[in-house]
Amino acid sequence: MLVAMDDHGSHADHHDHDHDADPDYFEPAGWEERYAGDGSVWSGDPNAQLVAEASRLTPGTALDVGCGEGGDVIWLARQGWRVTGADFSANGLARAARHAQEAGVADRTDWWQVDAREFDAAGRSFDLVTTHFLHPPDAGMVGVVRRLAPAVAPGGHLLVVGHAPSDHVTQLTESHRRAMFVAEDLLPGLPEGFEAVVVEQRPRTTVRDGRSMDVDDSTLLARRRS
Ligand SMILES: C[S@@+](CC[C@H](N)C(=O)[O-])C[C@H]1O[C@@H](n2cnc3c(N)ncnc32)[C@H](O)[C@@H]1O
């Protein structure tokens, strides 16, 4: 069975992207198109590893990079965080802002159109920087970690979650497989002053096409000491 790169259990599982036929899958144009129509791409539920880790933290300021339709942003805002949702898709951000409005948390959220591959914190810092299932191709996630780290305030945390390579994804192209990672792969992107708190693949059961399947969330949680 094929696991779509964007299948992450807590979200809608009805999107069968033909990755081999979609070279724009990881580029803004592909995501603008995906978010252009009516109807949600994702369930709106928060991601499991975000709930597991952020629930242990004291709410402060947060940045969610690749926020999509805002499910994680809204959950964080409801927990008392002040959240910036960032994504390179204007359509995605517009949906996220609408969902935050409908959820009654618009006053705790703001939005930032950025490409994570060129991210520059521009002097802003956050108590939590989080990103789920971004998957820039060709091992680009190490560079993204390197760029996101300076946005973490001293004493704050960086949480990065993605799909671990698995037998389920053998039908994907080589570049899609290279976009997947295990948490250890990301460690070279952590600058001095960070300590890794969680570096592991966390099993999760998801339902796809009505069938239950096991996947692993590659999970890196790092704390900035100084
Ligand atoms: C698989 S979706 C995950 C959405 C959200 N994090 C979630 O878990 O529901 C990936 C999201 O990241 C965004 N994205 C992908 N590559 C990006 C990049 N290089 N910079 C910023 N956003 C990106 C896409 O527009 C999309 O909204």
Side-chain angles (χ1 to χ4, degrees):
M1 179 178 290
L2 176 71
V3 175
M5 290 290 293
D6 51 2
D7 171 37
H8 40 101
S10 61
H11 291 104
D13 65 353
H14 54 274
H15 305 284
D16 273 321
H17 302 297
D18 181 349
H19 301 275
D20 291 337
D22 183 1
D24 280 341
Y25 187 78
F26 296 108
E27 297 300 328
W31 284 101
E32 290 298 12
E33 192 183 328
R34 210 160 288 130
Y35 290 134
D38 297 328
S40 295
V41 176
W42 312 114
S43 72
D45 295 335
N47 282 300
Q49 308 319 329
L50 177 74
V51 173
E53 295 306 330
S55 295
R56 299 183 226 269
L57 303 176
T58 303
T61 54
L63 170 67
D64 179 17
V65 179
C67 67
E69 295 173 319
D72 286 352
V73 171
I74 291 167
W75 182 83
L76 283 165
R78 283 180 165 150
Q79 308 309 304
W81 295 79
R82 159 108 227 153
V83 197
T84 298
D87 203 288
F88 63 17
S89 165
N91 287 340
L93 289 172
R95 283 183 179 210
R98 194 175 72 241
H99 292 162
Q101 184 83 41
E102 289 164 1
V105 295
D107 60 335
R108 306 194 59 75
T109 58
D110 61 87
W111 310 99
W112 194 2
Q113 187 173 10
V114 293
D115 187 328
R117 296 168 293 188
E118 295 160 11
F119 182 78
D120 177 353
R124 296 180 69 179
S125 65
F126 304 84
D127 300 309
L128 173 65
V129 176
T130 177
T131 181
H132 280 71
F133 307 108
L134 201 64
H135 291 292
D138 300 327
M141 206 59 199
V142 176
V144 169
V145 167
R146 198 170 283 126
R147 284 179 173 273
L148 296 186
V152 179
H157 290 81
L158 175 64
L159 175 64
V160 182
V161 178
H163 293 293
S166 88
D167 290 345
H168 298 305
V169 297
T170 52
Q171 297 166 53
L172 297 181
T173 62
E174 181 57 26
S175 105
H176 284 87
R177 270 195 295 279
R178 287 204 305 267
M180 296 184 172
F181 53 85
V182 292
E184 289 85 346
D185 295 341
L186 304 180
L187 292 176
L190 282 182
E192 283 290 307
F194 278 79
E195 61 181 336
V197 181
V198 174
V199 187
E200 62 192 27
Q201 280 54 257
R202 290 185 169 164
R204 178 167 58 82
T205 301
T206 186
V207 175
R208 185 154 186 83
D209 297 330
R211 289 172 60 187
S212 174
M213 64 189 308
D214 298 326
V215 296
D216 284 317
D217 286 342
S218 299
T219 305
L220 171 67
L221 178 71
R223 181 177 175 277
R224 183 173 188 167
R225 284 188 231 99
S226 52

